[in-house]
């Protein structure tokens, strides 16, 4: 089974040097991605796209997996005007589907595939998982507020020159009033998806999380 190639470009070195380089690489990389064909079948990326993504992933994470601290460091580079630490924590947990404290290349590809090329249903399922912080199958008002505050913190005050302190809470109150159909204080995945699909304003608001991925 073919494995994704390493990102290091091979030069016209003697064969024996290449062999040594290969051995060193195998010693360094503790986690190997699944067969390329399997990832291609599971995701919405082509083989060429997967190769390019893997080179970039391995360049940032030579071990083949990303822990939370590394994830936060990488993510903070995209939002220097704000504090992305908390949002990156929630995002990391959404990518870490098996909850082992690490995001593998497979985890990364599966999440990215949904966010970039998934159906509306797949994206909403992923968004629900992001907001369901404790993964109990429900979104509480406090969970949504935690996510919303994290997004506002990440975007930075300069993005919202007239932002009031209670803006995240007001945003969440609006969401919950529309989503919590039976008024039991929690939002189920069915309520979440139904509300998002029927309400254009909510759908536009939900684009916020996609724009910060």
């Amino acid at each position: 089974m073919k494995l994704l190639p390493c990102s290091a470009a091979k030069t016209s070195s003697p064969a024996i040097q290449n062999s040594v380089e290969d051995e060193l690489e195998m010693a360094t990389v503790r986690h190997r991605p699944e067969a390329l064909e399997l990832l291609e079948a599971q995701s919405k990326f082509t083989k060429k796209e997967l190769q390019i993504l893997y080179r970039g992933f391995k360049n940032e994470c030579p071990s083949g997996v990303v822990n939370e601290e590394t994830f936060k460091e990488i993510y903070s580079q995209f939002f220097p005007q704000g504090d992305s630490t908390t949002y990156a924590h929630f995002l990391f947990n959404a990518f870490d589907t098996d909850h082992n404290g690490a995001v593998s290349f497979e985890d990364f590809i599966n999440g990215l595939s949904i966010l970039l090329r998934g159906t509306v249903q797949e994206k909403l399922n992923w968004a629900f998982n992001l907001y369901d912080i404790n993964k109990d199958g429900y979104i509480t008002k406090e969970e949504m507020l935690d996510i919303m505050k994290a997004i506002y913190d990440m975007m930075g005050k300069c993005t919202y020159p007239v932002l009031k302190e209670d803006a995240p809470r007001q945003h969440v109150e609006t969401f919950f009033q529309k989503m919590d159909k039976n008024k039991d204080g929690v939002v189920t995945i069915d309520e979440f998806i139904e509300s998002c699909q029927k309400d254009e304003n909510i759908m536009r608001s939900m684009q916020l999380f996609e724009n910060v991925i």
Side-chain angles (χ1 to χ4, degrees), residues 170-206:
Q170 289 178 350
H171 198 163
V172 169
E173 289 291 345
T174 301
F175 265 37
F176 251 78
Q177 187 177 356
K178 294 180 179 180
M179 289 185 175
D180 185 12
K181 302 292 186 183
N182 61 0
K183 308 303 177 187
D184 63 352
V186 295
V187 172
T188 65
I189 190 165
D190 290 336
E191 288 176 325
F192 181 82
I193 291 175
E194 181 184 355
S195 298
C196 288
Q197 289 179 330
K198 288 184 176 180
D199 194 304
E200 291 183 7
N201 290 327
I202 290 180
M203 284 297 282
R204 280 197 293 270
S205 297
M206 288 306 299

Side-chain angles (χ1 to χ4, degrees), residues 73-140:
E73 289 172 9
I74 294 172
Y75 206 71
S76 66
Q77 297 173 23
F78 297 100
F79 297 93
Q81 77 277 18
D83 182 0
S84 64
T85 305
T86 305
Y87 185 77
H89 165 72
F90 295 137
L91 193 61
F92 179 86
N93 287 340
F95 273 100
D96 180 19
T97 52
D98 53 6
H99 311 301
N100 65 350
V103 172
S104 66
F105 183 64
E106 292 84 4
D107 294 331
F108 175 67
I109 288 300
N110 289 334
L112 201 64
S113 178
I114 291 171
L115 291 169
L116 296 182
R117 297 179 184 172
T119 63
V120 170
Q121 180 85 14
E122 288 171 335
K123 289 181 179 180
L124 289 175
N125 279 330
W126 198 94
F128 181 88
N129 179 58
L130 173 66
Y131 280 90
D132 180 16
I133 295 174
N134 66 0
K135 313 305 177 193
D136 65 351
Y138 301 94
I139 300 176
T140 65

